[in-house]
Structures are given as structure tokens and as C-alpha cells.
Amino acid sequence: DQQVKQNSPSLSVQEGRISILNCDYTNSMFDYFLWYKKYPAEGPTFLISISSIKDKNEDGRFTVFLNKSAKHLSLHIVPSQPGDSAVYFCAARWTQGGSEKLVFGKGTKLTVNP
Amino acid sequence: SAVISQKPSRDICQRGTSLTIQCQVDSQVTMMFWYRQQPGQSLTLIATANQGSEATYESGFVIDKFPISRPNLTFSTLTVSNMSPEDSSIYLCSVEDRMNTEAFFGQGTRLTVV
């Protein structure tokens, strides 16, 4: 049972336009959501996060929106740049047995075309 | 932030053999995490390694198959034992920054079992 779903395996956008990456989750116990970016042959790197008590968090060109009622979050990148081309993972955090765990989606490969 | 050095970066191994993956962190951390990413799948937590105690394994993972060592607060190893082609994956170690609620990853070990 996949608790964090990224239903789009890939996304292609033109440079300068907006990229919107989507993520759905099923577990209402998640209290924190994170986005990671991964380049080939490298480990994932943290991008931006949002607490479950907020609905928006912005950091430069990156904005994450959270819709708790829909159990949906999205990452907006604007304007998109070719260097943003990578695989983006959505992750959700919850506490189980006194320890925190991260659950990841399968990732969305973003390609930004010049 | 934390800098994580993971090695080897890749290996091709014969079935039935074992491979030990090393993870070195540039700062002392309480918990280290080991993940697996099978082709087309999300990052899946294998186990959590605490210094001075046995690792805690997630459902579907057992110590005999994935023994973990954690001799000090900056180092851990994961061994993939008695490998089969189904073990072909990317294995990543990770640490968390509790202050910022981020996770930092090594660059990963791409394992191919033939």
C-alpha cells in the first residue's frame, strides 16, 4: 500500500514556464512534508518542506502548497530553468513507536527544455 | 547540514556473494538510516541504525539479510548478504537534521547482481 503517490512519472516544460509537481497521500498522521531533488548518480538533496499546519511555504522560485482536506500537495517552480531538470521526490513524515519515519513517493522526472 | 560519504558508488556482484556498503558522516549523529530504491520504485527504509544498539528493521527486512554495524556516531555499514538479482538496487544512507527537519543522503551505491 503506497502511502505517498506521485502519479506522474515524468513532466516536461519549457524554460521560463511554471513546473507543477503533484503528490497525494493517504495517511492523515503525516505531520510534515518534504520535497527532494535528485540528479543522476547523486543522493537526494532537500529542497523545501511544509508543516501540516500550514498551507503554503515559499523559498525563492520554489513554492509548496498543501491541501489537507484533499490530502494533496504540490511543488511549483517558477520560472523553470534547465538546471531544474532532475527527479523530484515527495516525502511525508510521521511518528511511529517514538521514532520518526519518512515515506517517499516514486518520484517525478522533470525535464526543462531550453 | 551534513556531508555524507558513501562507498562504493557502484558494484557488480555475483549472486550468492555479499557486499558491504560504508557510510561516513562529517558530524556525530544519533541515528543513521539505510534506504533502498529498486528500479522504478520509491525510496524504502530498510532499517534505522543507532550507535550502541541493534538496528531496527522495517517490515520485510531482516538482520540476516541486511546486517548493519554502527560502531560510532559517524560511521555505519550495511551488508547485503547472499545476493540475488532481486537485490539489484540503489542503496542510500541518510541522516536527519532534527532542527531543520531535513534528511541528508549519501550519493548512493548502485548495486547490480548478476
Side-chain angles (χ1 to χ4, degrees):
Chain A
D1 179 32
Q2 200 175 352
Q3 299 187 68
V4 177
K5 297 180 182 179
Q6 294 177 258
N7 291 318
S8 297
S10 63
L11 174 67
S12 183
V13 300
Q14 282 300 120
E15 180 179 6
R17 307 293 289 267
I18 185 171
S19 296
I20 300 177
L21 297 104
N22 293 304
C23 180
D24 296 294
Y25 62 95
T26 59
N27 190 341
S28 57
M29 299 299 291
F30 291 141
D31 63 355
Y32 216 85
F33 302 90
L34 308 93
W35 285 93
Y36 286 84
K37 180 170 70 174
K38 185 181 184 303
Y39 293 117
E42 294 183 14
T45 55
F46 172 75
L47 193 58
I48 192 170
S49 63
I50 188 168
S51 166
S52 62
I53 63 174
K54 295 187 176 182
D55 55 17
K56 178 182 177 181
N57 188 27
E58 188 173 357
D59 183 4
R61 296 186 297 114
F62 303 91
T63 303
V64 56
F65 296 93
L66 175 62
N67 183 335
K68 284 190 68 175
S69 61
K71 292 189 173 66
H72 177 83
L73 67 156
S74 60
L75 173 68
H76 293 211
I77 306 173
V78 56
S80 301
Q81 300 173 354
D84 296 328
S85 298
V87 176
Y88 289 79
F89 289 96
C90 169
R93 187 189 77 177
W94 68 313
T95 302
Q96 181 185 37
S99 62
E100 294 174 349
K101 298 181 187 295
L102 284 178
V103 180
F104 288 83
K106 290 186 178 182
T108 297
K109 183 177 181 180
L110 173 65
T111 302
V112 180
N113 300 303
Chain B
S1 66
V3 177
I4 303 173
S5 300
Q6 187 176 336
K7 59 181 181 182
S9 59
R10 59 176 62 229
D11 207 342
I12 300 174
C13 300
Q14 296 289 325
R15 68 179 66 199
T17 63
S18 298
L19 175 72
T20 296
I21 303 168
Q22 299 180 5
C23 184
Q24 179 76 50
V25 189
D26 69 341
S27 59
Q28 294 184 340
V29 293
T30 304
M31 292 195 290
M32 296 178 71
F33 305 85
W34 285 97
Y35 287 85
R36 178 176 76 179
Q37 185 186 13
Q38 293 178 302
Q41 301 298 313
S42 58
L43 284 80
T44 302
L45 181 64
I46 297 172
T48 302
N50 296 328
Q51 195 270 334
S53 63
E54 281 198 3
T56 303
Y57 289 81
E58 297 299 306
S59 175
F61 298 97
V62 295
I63 187 171
D64 290 345
K65 176 67 176 177
F66 298 101
I68 288 172
S69 79
R70 184 77 203 276
N72 57 54
L73 290 174
T74 64
F75 187 78
S76 178
T77 67
L78 169 76
T79 298
V80 186
S81 303
N82 188 24
M83 288 183 284
S84 66
E86 292 71 33
D87 294 320
S88 298
S89 292
I90 297 174
Y91 292 84
L92 299 114
C93 68
S94 172
V95 302
E96 285 188 352
D97 179 345
R98 297 262 176 226
M99 296 297 290
N100 296 326
T101 318
E102 303 178 25
F104 302 94
F105 291 83
Q107 76 271 31
T109 297
R110 182 180 291 274
L111 171 62
T112 303
V113 183
V114 296

